Amino acid sequence: MDVLSRLSDKGALERAFEARAKKLTTIDAEDLARRVKARVVGQDETVDQIAIQLRRRFAAQGRNRPIAVFCFAGAPGTGKTHLAKVLAEELFEDKNHLHFFDMSQYGQAFSASGLFGSPKGYVGSQSYGALTAALRDMPNGIVLLDEFEKAHPEVHKRFLAAWNDGFVTEASDGARIPTSQAIFILTTNAAGRRISEIAQNHKGDRAELTQQVKSTMQDAQFAPEVLSRIDDVFIFNPLRGLDLARVVALEIERLAAQYDLKIAEGGIDVAVLVDAVEALGDRVDGGVRDVARAVEHQITDGLLDARGAGARFIRLIKDKDRVKVVYDPPEASDQTKDSASASA
């Protein structure tokens, strides 16, 4: 007897998997874009374009190539990596369907073995490479190659078979690992400012824009054979004004959640966000991350105190040159809640 028949309902499980596969081949681009834009700030047009392309790509499944090979290009701190992570969660409803690789770790030609395995007789040949193992165990997902430009050109070229032939070869045993159920997303900061300028000044169609951006990326040491296998390039524009404030506010909310705390409604002093945006100015290299980190240094002790006092909600206020965390004791919140209930 099949173990699923013995321990579960095999028929129902098969139907569930069929329904899930069907759902992924009929993506609602508008619904996907709406859900992603609720979590990604300042890149609405790019998200719309990606959602449309993914709808087309999923509908065309069956070819012996990955579902898509996309490149997210633009300045640092514009949400490229974050968007790839959000897409994995929204498409596959599971964080485990994201395979993340920091390509700055593969700056030497020999480092490719860390991704694709080592031939027999070499150190590490007893285990699979990180990429081949990930695709073997979870073939349907997003392969995120973060800061792709920092990998060695020889490492870049090892991906050509994965994108062109629909499989990647594990060096230790010669196994062919399919890539036809995967979405590859490359992120790059190379020529970020120049690419943003091209996008802002471009008046033609997307195909022409993509070619201009690919030409700029080739000048930034991307090999032509690698660029030719990228299906589409999406440009991420620098964040401005209220979008910067939104990102900083979300970073603060995320940090508070790590301490089991919530930001009270309207709980971030306007002056805190204004100062953060002014501190960024025209910086592009890690700007939002640097400001969020600076705020984190100022409020971490306050968050620890709030958690220690049993608080649930906090507010952040500007106190001279500092950011101060204020909170109500939990009993005060309970009394307010009881009073509201009694009045009702």
Side-chain angles (χ1 to χ4, degrees):
M1 180 181 291
D2 189 313
V3 65
L4 293 177
S5 299
R6 180 169 60 85
L7 298 177
S8 184
D9 184 337
K10 181 181 178 181
L13 190 62
E14 288 175 339
R15 290 190 293 273
F17 271 89
E18 289 172 3
R20 185 174 184 183
K22 185 177 180 181
K23 177 183 175 183
L24 281 175
T25 59
T26 55
I27 287 177
D28 183 332
E30 290 186 6
D31 179 61
L32 175 63
R34 176 186 57 77
R35 287 183 282 122
V36 171
K37 285 188 284 191
R39 302 175 59 187
V40 176
V41 172
Q43 306 296 344
D44 287 3
E45 183 179 350
T46 296
V47 170
D48 287 335
Q49 294 168 353
I50 291 170
I52 291 170
Q53 287 294 330
L54 283 174
R55 178 178 180 273
R56 294 170 181 169
R57 297 279 170 181
F58 270 103
Q61 278 191 77
R63 56 184 190 160
N64 292 322
R65 289 190 61 201
I67 294 169
V69 180
F70 290 157
C71 179
F72 292 176
T78 51
K80 300 185 294 296
T81 302
H82 177 59
L83 175 54
K85 293 177 178 179
V86 169
L87 280 173
E89 293 178 24
E90 294 296 341
L91 283 171
F92 300 101
E93 301 175 353
D94 187 345
K95 293 181 180 180
N96 292 325
H97 287 265
L98 175 74
H99 306 312
F100 176 88
F101 299 97
D102 178 359
M103 299 305 290
S104 66
Q105 298 181 9
Y106 303 97
Q108 304 295 326
F110 65 81
S111 61
S113 61
L115 292 168
F116 303 97
S118 300
K120 286 188 180 300
Y122 286 81
V123 175
S125 63
Q126 295 79 16
S127 59
Y128 267 39
L131 175 67
T132 48
L135 287 171
R136 176 197 61 191
D137 297 339
M138 188 72 74
N140 58 327
I142 287 180
V143 179
L144 175 53
L145 307 175
D146 203 39
E147 297 190 294
F148 190 71
E149 77 279 5
K150 293 184 178 179
H152 193 278
E154 291 302 317
V155 177
H156 288 185
K157 292 175 184 178
R158 292 289 297 272
F159 284 94
L160 296 182
W163 300 338
N164 194 60
D165 303 327
F167 65 86
V168 62
T169 302
E170 163 57 39
S172 65
D173 60 6
R176 290 186 172 185
I177 311 297
T179 60
S180 56
Q181 297 182 59
I183 299 168
F184 285 81
I185 295 179
L186 294 60
T187 73
T188 178
N189 301 324
R193 189 185 290 273
R194 175 61 184 147
I195 288 172
S196 295
E197 290 173 354
I198 292 172
Q200 290 170 7
N201 297 325
H202 184 74
K203 305 299 181 185
D205 60 18
R206 268 195 55 75
E208 182 183 340
L209 173 61
T210 298
Q211 283 306 115
Q212 289 186 25
V213 171
K214 283 187 175 181
S215 177
T216 302
M217 292 171 64
Q218 186 172 337
D219 293 341
Q221 308 306 313
F222 275 79
E225 57 267 39
V226 172
L227 292 172
S228 68
R229 284 155 175 90
I230 294 174
D231 295 318
D232 213 336
V233 180
F234 299 96
I235 294 90
F236 283 63
N237 295 313
L239 301 177
R240 298 279 186 261
L242 291 179
D243 282 337
L244 281 174
R246 290 185 179 99
V247 171
V248 175
L250 287 171
E251 284 293 314
I252 292 172
E253 183 180 50
R254 178 191 59 78
L255 178 62
Q258 292 179 1
Y259 294 87
D260 296 323
L261 297 168
K262 294 182 178 180
I263 305 294
E265 186 173 350
I268 302 178
D269 190 343
V270 170
V272 173
L273 297 179
V274 169
D275 284 355
V277 173
E278 288 181 349
L280 284 166
D282 294 326
R283 294 160 57 196
V284 293
D285 294 332
V288 174
R289 296 185 186 91
D290 289 346
V291 171
R293 196 174 297 117
V295 174
E296 178 180 351
H297 288 160
Q298 294 188 54
I299 68 175
T300 298
D301 289 339
L303 295 175
L304 287 168
D305 291 341
R307 185 177 67 177
R312 288 175 292 174
F313 294 91
I314 61 167
R315 296 186 301 279
L316 271 62
I317 62 172
K318 182 72 182 299
D319 182 18
K320 297 181 181 178
D321 294 330
R322 302 284 299 170
V323 178
K324 185 177 180 182
V325 178
V326 297
Y327 53 91
D328 295 324
E331 54 272 13
S333 299
D334 292 339
Q335 289 172 6
T336 302
K337 192 178 190 181
D338 292 342
S339 299
S341 300
S343 300

